[in-house]
Amino acid sequence: MFFKSKKLIGLDIGTANIKMAELDVGRKSAKLMRFHIAPTPARAINGGEVVDPAAISDAIKSMGFELASKRKNVAVGLWGTSVITKRISIPKMDQSLVAGQIRWEAEQYIPFDINEVNIDFKILKHFQSAQESMDVLLVAARQDMAYLYQDIVQGAGMNCSVIDVSAFALANAYLLNYENPAGQAVALVNIGAAITSFVVVDGGEVVFARDIPVGGLTYSSEIHKSMGISLEEAEAMKLSACNGQAAPDEVTKIIQSSHGQICEEVQGSLDFFLNTSPGAQVSHFVVSGGASRTTGLVKALSEHTKVRFEPFDPFVRVQSADRSMTMEYLNEIREFAAIAIGLGSRSAGDA
């Protein structure tokens, strides 16, 4: 599934890392022209909320110099409490009338003032629960967060051309690389530092999406509380243990015991999707995100959900166009790159 040439930089602003991806996407191929990843400034994002936008702008500006791209237009993703997505059923009607109905429906489902959110929707063509109704994926994004991200990008000397939803960007990256026939629902799980994005795609459509407030920091927080050390020390010990470096045995035990929190949240989202989607089945999970590297986590998820988990490879069809991006480098960024690549596949003016 490829589209016309794209002229944006995909910008994924995460709690732990910021990723930038420049792609050229044609009818039959997709090429990664440039990619850069750098740590998010310490304490710039706390609890999923941006608390130091100026520091993030400065970091993005520095990354832009490193990326050395001529492009200045950016697609950025919103995530966490900034976005609400919900699949709803409405009476079957002419598609031209749906927009008017959606705003009324949104007031019932969105826990924000309807005047303080941007509303969008997509009629699901391959996923309908009843003949007399039509299923619609409703999306609401907080305007204040959209403006904040726009200011961050502009503060870095770039233009914010597209504001996307990170969960949808994850799906776009998957569809760039894999086939997804109708009737074969696949769950995508991107486990980041603070947020795990859970997305179900079926027939090339996003039919379910939610952000779960757990991730790599869940482990660091448990180590911090159990061992009475700072969060910074806990994070360092966690990384050492997961990378096979010297770390106290207690750290490994805490990591293993903390898998249950992630597993329960993913299981809860899976159950909710299946319970609200009569007849639906998830064939398998595809997992990405930096925290998916946590020792034993993917195995624990597969055993807990009793569903097969596979690693998400964003480079199945997206090929490197820069010789400096060796296979070794691609292996280093593989778990981190999906959302940035999905954002980079957008173009200015996309719906």
Side-chain angles (χ1 to χ4, degrees):
M1 183 177 181
F2 295 104
F3 308 94
K4 61 186 178 181
S5 178
K6 307 300 177 178
K7 300 298 181 184
L8 297 177
I9 293 174
L11 176 62
D12 176 18
I13 304 173
T15 299
N17 294 289
I18 301 172
K19 287 78 69 177
M20 300 178 74
E22 178 184 313
L23 279 78
D24 275 350
V25 183
R27 288 183 176 273
K28 297 182 179 181
S29 65
K31 294 182 178 180
L32 181 64
M33 311 303 292
R34 295 172 177 83
F35 188 90
H36 193 48
I37 181 171
T40 303
R43 293 175 288 280
I45 298 178
N46 184 28
E49 297 289 336
V50 175
V51 295
D52 193 346
I56 297 175
S57 290
D58 289 342
I60 295 170
K61 183 182 292 185
S62 297
M63 292 177 67
F65 289 130
E66 293 286 339
L67 198 70
S69 173
K70 294 181 180 179
R71 300 181 190 181
K72 297 300 179 184
N73 295 322
V74 167
V76 66
L78 297 180
W79 49 274
T81 58
S82 303
V83 182
I84 296 291
T85 61
K86 188 172 184 63
R87 192 180 74 244
I88 62 174
S89 292
I90 62 175
K92 188 166 288 186
M93 64 184 69
D94 188 279
Q95 293 190 14
S96 63
L97 302 176
V98 174
Q101 179 76 9
I102 285 296
R103 186 171 180 84
W104 182 82
E105 295 281 350
E107 290 183 312
Q108 303 180 66
Y109 292 108
I110 303 302
F112 305 130
D113 185 328
I114 198 68
N115 297 310
E116 296 177 354
V117 296
N118 292 329
I119 302 292
D120 201 357
F121 68 92
K122 180 175 177 58
I123 300 172
L124 301 178
K125 298 178 182 178
H126 302 295
F127 194 95
Q128 296 299 324
S129 56
Q131 290 185 349
E132 68 277 4
S133 64
M134 54 198 304
D135 282 14
V136 178
L137 193 67
L138 175 67
V139 184
R142 286 168 46 191
Q143 292 176 353
D144 61 336
M145 293 304 296
Y147 293 142
L148 176 60
Y149 274 62
Q150 186 175 32
D151 290 343
I152 287 171
V153 171
Q154 291 177 344
M158 297 178 175
N159 305 314
C160 190
S161 297
V162 172
I163 297 179
D164 201 351
V165 177
S166 293
F168 293 165
L170 178 64
N172 286 342
Y174 178 79
L175 296 172
L176 273 175
N177 287 280
Y178 297 89
E179 300 295 332
N180 180 231
Q184 294 186 16
V186 176
L188 315 178
V189 179
N190 188 85
I191 309 171
I195 293 291
T196 293
S197 292
F198 183 104
V199 183
V200 180
V201 293
D202 189 342
E205 294 182 328
V206 175
V207 298
F208 181 84
R210 65 163 45 169
D211 282 345
I212 309 168
V214 292
L217 291 177
T218 301
Y219 298 95
S220 304
S221 178
E222 289 300 316
I223 295 169
H224 155 69
K225 289 187 293 185
S226 298
M227 300 183 66
I229 58 179
S230 70
L231 279 171
E232 289 78 9
E233 290 173 316
E235 177 72 10
M237 284 190 179
K238 178 193 72 175
L239 293 176
S240 293
C242 291
N243 291 330
Q245 299 170 352
D249 291 341
E250 186 179 355
V251 173
T252 301
K253 292 179 181 178
I254 294 170
I255 290 173
Q256 295 299 320
S257 65
S258 299
H259 288 332
Q261 296 183 47
I262 312 291
C263 291
E264 288 293 339
E265 291 288 351
V266 172
Q267 181 72 61
S269 293
L270 174 62
D271 290 343
F272 184 84
F273 168 70
L274 295 175
N275 291 336
T276 56
S277 309
Q281 292 185 337
V282 169
S283 63
H284 63 285
F285 280 82
V286 179
V287 62
S288 60
S292 68
R293 293 182 170 185
T294 305
T295 303
L297 175 56
V298 173
K299 181 181 179 182
L301 284 166
S302 185
E303 291 177 348
H304 188 92
T305 61
K306 296 179 173 57
V307 182
R308 174 169 50 94
F309 273 69
E310 296 179 354
F312 183 5
D313 185 357
F315 307 120
V316 172
R317 295 182 183 171
V318 177
Q319 301 174 350
S320 170
D322 188 333
R323 292 182 179 179
S324 67
M325 289 190 287
T326 62
M327 183 57 66
E328 182 180 4
Y329 178 71
L330 295 181
N331 287 335
E332 289 179 3
I333 67 171
R334 200 174 301 274
E335 287 89 353
F336 299 91
I339 291 176
I341 285 176
L343 292 167
S345 72
R346 299 292 305 272
S347 66
D350 277 352

